[in-house]
Amino acid sequence: MERTVHDLPRHRTVSWHEKTNLFHLLVVVGAAIEYCSGVDFGTLTVRVSIFDSLRGRLGAGVARYPLDRKREDPDYATQNHADHMNALVEAMKVAIVSSRVDGKAIKSIAIDTTGSSVVPVGEGLEPLDPYYLWCDHRAWREAELITRTARELGLPAIDWCGGTYSSEWGFSKLLHWLRNNPEKREKFVTALEHCDMVATVLCGITDPDQIPRSICAMGHKWMWNENLGGLPSDEFLVRVDRLFDGVRAKMARGHYRTSDRVAGSLSEDWAERLGLQPGIPIPVGALDAHWDAIGAGAKLGDVVNVIGTSTCIIAIKEFPTLVPGVCGIVAGSVNPSYTGIEAGLSASGDIFDAIAKRARTAIDKLAKGLEGYKPGQTGLLRFAWDNGDAPC
């Protein structure tokens, strides 16, 4: 993948919004792109940026969508597909106006999202329920079961995600859904990661065999590994729970690809809604933090710390070798030519935000003066468990 940013130091911390720099790096149509659009679906907002291949970002738009929580169930966190897509339309219109670019002159649109945000779909790839957002932890029992079964059977794939499967990830969320929605099981066709869902919808794809599956999302969150035959075997999944019988075949439908490949072209319907030209290419999507590393100009041996609602640490290495304790090691997940490594702290931004709200102030006010402290000088060692993780 061509880079147009300067070399970085070996370790680099990147703000959540710096990720938008990556989109002018995407060369998905084989030639220089005059204008392109980058879409980043975060936890609470969607951000759209318009780029010129030489001048960088020309304009941007932001739109919010609700996050559904339940006071009686702190593990619950869902979002509605329609809310996401309506917000995309709103943010795109604002971005086009702010950039002073004719939407019909935009030559491509690329999408990243949080992960693992999962939606089960039925006929025509229509959502059967809201998204299980990445920070939905209702599936912690299912995650423990998957981890225990993988260790008992010596499943190699578990080693490639640090030895422990998470309640944030795809198979645990899907099993929770299957267990708690018996009346909808017969309608279940497959499940999609959010980034794949958006690309599929924008391309007008309704055939499950044509779904553009992101190797980034499926590798880090669903134990997909090309060298191990793709997804975990039926034998393993059924040993976890008989409700997984037949699920592997359903999840295998579609095309597993890296993000330098084209997922499809923008449909006429969505082109009209977004104010863009129909037929422009849409690359295969990815998880947000992994594209952040590309936007930061990461090279072999670099480590990028992406700070936002969660804190993700992304690195790139030449060959796939095991690294104990990380969240995933996936060939092609960051830079298609190399192996991506993900680690991090899933709730750090949320926790700091919660502390500020309880103190009735803002994070930047609480942080004043902290830059003068050396590591460990305050005596603070860790925060209490919250939202599935702790920020140190």
Side-chain angles (χ1 to χ4, degrees):
M1 183 175 291
E2 182 180 348
R3 295 187 178 89
T4 59
V5 294
H6 297 297
D7 290 351
L8 297 176
R10 296 284 294 181
H11 297 273
R12 172 83 182 274
T13 297
V14 181
S15 72
W16 195 253
H17 296 288
E18 189 175 351
K19 71 179 64 181
T20 50
N21 290 332
L22 72 95
F23 292 109
H24 73 284
L25 303 177
L26 294 173
V27 188
V28 296
V29 293
I33 299 172
E34 184 177 2
Y35 301 121
C36 64
S37 175
V39 178
D40 169 41
F41 281 92
T43 303
L44 298 174
T45 61
V46 58
R47 284 85 69 165
V48 176
S49 296
I50 310 298
F51 288 92
D52 178 281
S53 58
L54 296 178
R55 292 177 290 165
R57 187 164 71 167
L58 304 179
V62 179
R64 297 184 66 85
Y65 32 71
L67 169 60
D68 297 322
R69 291 279 203 179
K70 291 183 177 180
R71 182 174 293 275
E72 67 275 16
D73 185 0
D75 291 328
Y76 184 96
T78 67
Q79 286 178 330
N80 187 281
H81 172 69
D83 290 339
H84 278 257
M85 301 309 291
N86 290 337
L88 172 60
V89 172
E90 179 184 346
M92 181 65 75
K93 290 179 179 178
V94 173
I96 289 173
V97 171
S98 73
S99 67
R100 299 182 181 179
V101 168
D102 181 355
K104 303 296 172 112
I106 294 172
K107 301 300 184 182
S108 68
I109 178 172
I111 300 109
D112 74 40
T113 67
T114 60
S116 186
S117 291
V118 177
V119 57
V121 297
E123 195 69 28
L125 305 184
E126 289 293 321
L128 294 173
D129 264 322
Y131 288 95
Y132 276 65
L133 198 61
W134 67 270
C135 52
D136 187 304
H137 290 280
R138 286 175 289 167
W140 63 270
R141 296 176 183 85
E142 287 75 13
E144 286 186 350
L145 176 60
I146 291 170
T147 299
R148 185 169 65 252
T149 307
R151 290 175 179 174
E152 289 173 355
L153 296 180
L155 184 76
I158 196 69
D159 295 328
W160 293 91
C161 58
T164 302
Y165 202 72
S166 171
S167 58
E168 290 187 7
W169 300 347
F171 275 118
S172 53
K173 292 181 186 294
L174 178 55
L175 181 54
H176 183 275
W177 183 85
L178 290 169
R179 286 176 165 180
N180 289 276
N181 293 276
E183 74 284 358
K184 297 179 183 178
R185 289 175 197 156
E186 290 188 2
K187 299 178 181 179
F188 176 71
V189 171
T190 190
L192 284 86
E193 279 286 335
H194 187 189
C195 62
D196 297 336
M197 183 69 179
V198 177
T200 295
V201 169
L202 293 182
C203 293
I205 295 170
T206 57
D207 180 357
D209 292 324
Q210 300 305 314
I211 294 171
R213 301 269 192 187
S214 166
I215 282 178
C216 176
M218 300 304 293
H220 283 281
K221 309 303 181 183
W222 294 79
M223 294 191 285
W224 184 91
N225 188 316
E226 185 174 18
N227 291 329
L228 298 176
L231 295 167
S233 68
D234 281 315
E235 178 187 4
F236 165 73
L237 292 172
V238 173
R239 178 75 73 88
V240 171
D241 194 303
R242 293 198 63 81
L243 290 176
F244 271 150
D245 189 18
V247 162
R248 185 186 190 278
K250 293 179 178 181
M251 292 304 304
R253 300 182 76 174
H255 306 287
Y256 282 70
R257 292 172 176 164
T258 50
S259 292
D260 59 341
R261 301 287 298 278
V262 173
S265 56
L266 185 64
S267 70
E268 291 190 6
D269 177 35
W270 278 101
E272 183 177 353
R273 295 191 206 185
L274 295 169
L276 305 177
Q277 186 73 19
I280 62 174
I282 301 173
V284 173
L287 302 181
D288 45 13
H290 301 71
W291 272 4
D292 295 347
I294 296 296
K299 298 180 180 180
L300 284 173
D302 287 338
V303 177
V304 179
N305 190 17
V306 186
I307 300 175
T309 307
S310 59
T311 298
C312 292
I313 300 166
I314 305 293
I316 303 173
K317 62 184 302 185
E318 190 168 6
F319 301 110
T321 53
L322 290 174
V323 181
V326 300
C327 299
I329 306 152
V330 180
S333 66
V334 179
N335 183 314
S337 299
Y338 300 114
T339 294
I341 303 173
E342 175 190 359
L345 304 160
S346 303
S348 53
D350 268 354
I351 293 175
F352 289 129
D353 185 54
I355 292 170
K357 286 179 178 177
R358 291 164 191 161
R360 298 183 180 180
T361 186
I363 293 176
D364 59 345
K365 291 183 179 180
L366 287 176
K368 279 187 177 179
L370 291 180
E371 64 276 6
Y373 286 92
K374 297 179 180 179
Q377 185 178 344
T378 65
L380 178 63
L381 297 179
R382 67 182 303 275
F383 286 96
W385 184 96
D386 192 2
N387 199 30
D389 217 328
C392 56

